[in-house]
Amino acid sequence: MPHLPQKILIATKNLGKVNEIRDLIQDLPIEFLSLAEFPDAPDVVEDGETFEENALKKARTLALATGLVTLADDSGLCVEALNGRPGVLSARYSGEGSSDEEKCLRILEEMSEIPDSERYARFVCVLALADPGGEEYVFRGVCEGRIIRELKGTKGFGYDPIFLYEEEGLTFAEMDRQSKNLVSHRGLALRKFGVFLEQRARP
Ligand code: IMP
């Protein structure tokens, strides 16, 4: 992929994610499409053991199905005292269809005996870019913090209310979206992707 692609498919139906990428990469002449425009695209089962495996599988499969350069992501929370769980199971921890609150409560319960000094956790986001010819690139962002003992804050989603970002002394659910994006795993991975595209635009 020596040159900048004219179009990139973002492998999600979530328009929030697509708009976040469009906002970040406003200055480059790239059209970003979403899966909403490809209703017949195959569903990809996220059954890998790592975020990289899942993101690459999704990007590869959809690049081949659509003939477009495709960006896919996988992300989640890894808690050290739980041997890295929920990890790649983050979206369905506590059962398929469980609410965000149920998922947070399950983590808190599993960690009830864990002392404050051992509540280290990290959010990870992996973006994979694949082109139909088989070229692949991976961009990884990590954000470190700790798991508190109750839910705090109402913004954000997922595990945000139990994840304390220590530099601010706030949970991700207490931070506004811009402040979270500046330090979050997803923000970091997206900025790495942005730099990669910039380099191709101005070689
Ligand atoms: P994905 O859509 O397969 O990447 O699912 C990732 C899951 O990890 C989400 O459903 C959330 O439960 C969790 N997760 C990922 N990023 C965040 C975040 O920024 N805040 C809170 N939870 C997150």
Side-chain angles (χ1 to χ4, degrees), residues 151-166:
L151 281 75
K152 261 194 185 171
T154 53
K155 298 176 193 147
F157 69 101
Y159 300 97
D160 282 347
I162 58 170
F163 183 84
L164 179 71
Y165 181 65
E166 288 183 290

Side-chain angles (χ1 to χ4, degrees), residues 129-142:
L129 186 72
D131 90 352
E135 261 185 80
E136 295 174 345
Y137 302 87
V138 165
F139 311 92
R140 184 173 232 265
V142 175

